[in-house]
């Protein structure tokens, strides 16, 4: 029986080969598509692309954002959107729209649409109430190795901050579809991101001569009680001379996280997180302070003012500002210490509130 089974199996295999190949088919070479088959495949691709680009929304707003390459930091673009049209569709004022997005999830729902055309019902995976990180395939991902670009909406300003992940965005065309839903009405904000090759920045400065050193500088800022009022203090020459670096080199060090800005408590101690690291505001490098002069976190008891170091290729600005609970006559003092390249600058700043 065993031999018969083997012979029958061999016969079936041989017969199958004959039937499959036919008299005039050479299976050793790929099949050449006819023009009719090529046209059919193109038609199917067109249908798939149309379905992919189809957006289920009552209002579609489409924009383009150009990102200049190469880059060595996290450059951003402010994209103002047509909030009047969105508010009009929802039957509300722009102020009501801003409040609804600020409290997203109560009445207005935030979400996005991925490349498949399907809804992804999450309002945000960034620090914003509405916004997402996106990969090269126009799908939402978490911050990390697959992330390319992101959107973060500012409800009060009426714009998206569109930015990129440092060193990971290479100019791909990425289509981000950010959406809002109110009752049965849907809005889609389509943001097409493109990369554009730019010129490398040429540093016009040379580092100051000598060795890095430590220096103490005292500054005073006069602000109003208007929430988040602030003042720019030019500290470029102070930092350049103390660190013996150009403005652009210091800017690069800040963007790379190499400059350390320590916030000091009123007793002179350095503020550290539970992990033993120097803590910052959302805008590194900077700190929030409370009315006692101690470093704190935003929203904590007594938080009153902040100070951040703002930088660009040509500017280095110390930016003290207040929170939302200051009044005429208030006065605050704080100390921050910036360290880089073996140099150190101590900033003693006094904020006076005058309306």
């Amino acid at each position: 029986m065993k031999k018969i089974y083997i012979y029958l199996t061999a016969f079936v295999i041989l017969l199958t080969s004959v039937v499959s190949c036919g008299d005039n088919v050479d299976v050793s070479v790929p099949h050449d598509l006819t023009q009719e088959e090529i046209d059919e495949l193109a038609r199917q691709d067109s249908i798939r692309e149309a379905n992919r680009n189809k957006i289920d929304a009552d209002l579609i707003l489409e924009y383009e954002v150009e990102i200049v390459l190469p880059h060595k930091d996290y450059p951003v673009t402010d994209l103002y959107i047509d909030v009047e049209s969105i508010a009009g569709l929802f039957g509300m004022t722009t102020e009501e729209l801003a409040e609804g997005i600020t409290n997203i999830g109560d009445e207005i729902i935030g979400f996005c649409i991925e490349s498949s055309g399907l809804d992804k019902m999450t309002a945000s995976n960034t620090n914003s109430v509405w916004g997402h990180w996106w990969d090269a395939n126009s799908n939402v991902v978490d911050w990390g190795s697959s992330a390319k670009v992101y959107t973060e909406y500012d409800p009060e300003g009426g714009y998206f901050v569109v930015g990129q992940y440092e060193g990971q965005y290479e100019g791909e065309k990425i289509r981000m579809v950010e959406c809002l839903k109110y009752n049965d009405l849907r809005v889609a904000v389509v943001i097409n991101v493109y990369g554009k090759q730019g010129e490398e920045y040429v540093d016009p400065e040379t580092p100051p001569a000598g060795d890095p050193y430590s220096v103490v500088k005292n500054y005073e800022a006069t602000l109003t009680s208007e929430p988040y009022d602030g003042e720019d203090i030019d500290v470029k020459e102070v930092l350049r001379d103390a660190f013996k670096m150009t403005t652009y080199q210091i800017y690069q060090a800040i963007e790379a996280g190499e400059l350390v800005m320590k916030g000091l408590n009123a007793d002179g101690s350095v503020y550290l997180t539970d992990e033993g690291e120097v803590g910052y505001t959302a805008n590194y490098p900077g700190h929030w302070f409370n009315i006692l002069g101690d470093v704190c976190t935003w929203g904590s008891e007594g938080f009153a003012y902040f100070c951040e170091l703002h930088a660009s290729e040509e500017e280095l600005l110390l930016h003290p500002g207040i929170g939302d609970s200051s009044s005429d006559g208030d006065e605050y003092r704080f100390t921050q210490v910036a360290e880089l390249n073996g140099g150190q600058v101590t900033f003693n700043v006094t904020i006076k509130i005058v309306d």
Side-chain angles (χ1 to χ4, degrees):
M1 291 295 293
K2 185 175 181 180
K3 291 183 179 179
I4 295 175
Y5 174 79
I6 293 174
Y7 298 152
L8 286 175
T9 302
F11 176 75
V12 170
I13 293 174
L14 179 61
L15 181 61
T16 303
S17 300
V18 173
V19 172
S20 299
C21 294
D23 293 334
N24 300 312
V25 178
D26 184 357
V27 297
S28 65
V29 296
H31 171 63
D32 291 330
L33 296 176
T34 65
Q35 186 58 50
E36 183 179 358
E37 290 171 327
I38 293 173
D39 293 341
E40 175 59 21
L41 289 175
R43 187 186 72 84
Q44 293 175 11
D45 287 342
S46 176
I47 292 173
R48 280 193 293 269
E49 183 66 14
N51 288 334
R52 190 182 77 83
N53 291 325
K54 184 178 180 181
I55 297 176
D56 179 16
D58 301 283
L59 173 65
I60 300 174
L61 304 173
E62 189 151 2
Y63 304 92
E64 292 188 359
V65 173
E66 191 174 74
I67 295 180
V68 178
L69 302 171
H71 57 84
K72 298 178 180 178
D73 53 12
Y74 288 82
V76 299
T77 299
D78 292 342
L79 174 65
Y80 287 85
I81 64 174
D82 187 357
V83 293
E84 289 82 6
S85 293
I86 298 175
L89 177 70
F90 289 168
M92 57 181 65
T93 65
T94 55
E95 291 78 12
E96 290 170 336
L97 175 65
E99 183 178 354
I101 297 176
T102 300
N103 300 299
I104 208 160
D106 292 347
E107 293 185 351
I108 294 179
I109 306 299
F111 63 103
C112 61
I113 297 177
E114 295 192 301
S115 61
S116 64
L118 299 177
D119 295 350
K120 188 174 182 66
M121 300 305 297
T122 175
S124 177
N125 67 349
T126 69
N127 292 323
S128 171
V129 294
W130 180 29
H132 302 85
W133 279 98
W134 300 79
D135 68 9
N137 298 314
S138 300
N139 293 319
V140 172
V141 293
D142 292 330
W143 180 92
S145 60
S146 297
K148 297 287 186 176
V149 292
Y150 69 88
T151 58
E152 289 188 329
Y153 188 68
D154 184 321
E156 185 175 343
Y159 60 86
F160 275 104
V161 172
V162 181
Q164 59 188 293
Y165 194 111
E166 181 184 13
Q168 293 185 184
Y169 179 65
E170 299 176 346
E172 304 95 328
K173 177 183 177 181
I174 299 176
R175 183 172 182 258
M176 301 176 285
V177 185
E178 296 287 355
C179 303
L180 295 174
K181 183 175 184 294
Y182 178 66
N183 294 328
D184 293 328
L185 298 171
R186 294 162 59 103
V187 171
V189 179
V190 182
I191 305 172
N192 298 295
V193 176
Y194 304 86
K196 175 185 177 183
Q197 197 68 25
E199 297 180 358
E200 287 280 3
Y201 182 79
V202 178
D203 194 343
E205 301 175 358
T206 56
D211 297 324
Y213 66 94
S214 298
V215 63
V216 178
K217 302 295 292 185
N218 300 317
Y219 297 104
E220 183 176 295
T222 301
L223 309 177
T224 70
S225 60
E226 184 71 21
Y228 301 99
D229 187 23
E231 180 177 308
D232 287 332
I233 301 172
D234 188 350
V235 295
K236 179 169 72 174
E237 293 306 320
V238 173
L239 295 178
R240 273 174 34 86
D241 198 47
F243 299 154
K244 303 305 179 188
M245 300 172 70
T246 68
T247 304
Y248 182 60
Q249 289 172 336
I250 297 171
Y251 163 67
Q252 286 184 304
I254 291 173
E255 293 298 316
E258 296 169 357
L259 181 144
V260 176
M261 179 78 91
K262 297 176 179 178
L264 302 189
N265 297 313
D267 62 4
S269 62
V270 177
Y271 170 76
L272 300 175
T273 65
D274 293 338
E275 290 75 26
E277 299 175 349
V278 176
Y280 296 109
T281 62
N283 295 322
Y284 154 86
H287 301 88
W288 278 98
F289 295 86
N290 62 26
I291 57 177
L292 301 177
D294 294 329
V295 181
C296 64
T297 57
W298 181 89
S300 60
E301 184 176 358
F303 86 103
Y305 55 102
F306 62 91
C307 189
E308 300 166 341
L309 183 57
H310 294 177
S312 69
E313 292 90 340
E314 299 175 351
E315 290 186 317
L316 296 168
L317 303 170
L318 195 67
H319 184 81
I322 62 171
D324 54 8
S325 59
S326 301
S327 58
D328 188 15
D330 287 350
E331 187 170 305
Y332 307 112
R333 294 181 178 85
F334 66 89
T335 299
Q336 287 177 306
V337 180
E339 297 177 346
L340 180 64
N341 196 37
Q344 183 184 82
V345 179
T346 299
F347 300 111
N348 294 318
V349 180
T350 300
I351 294 178
K352 294 183 178 181
I353 308 301
V354 178
D355 286 331

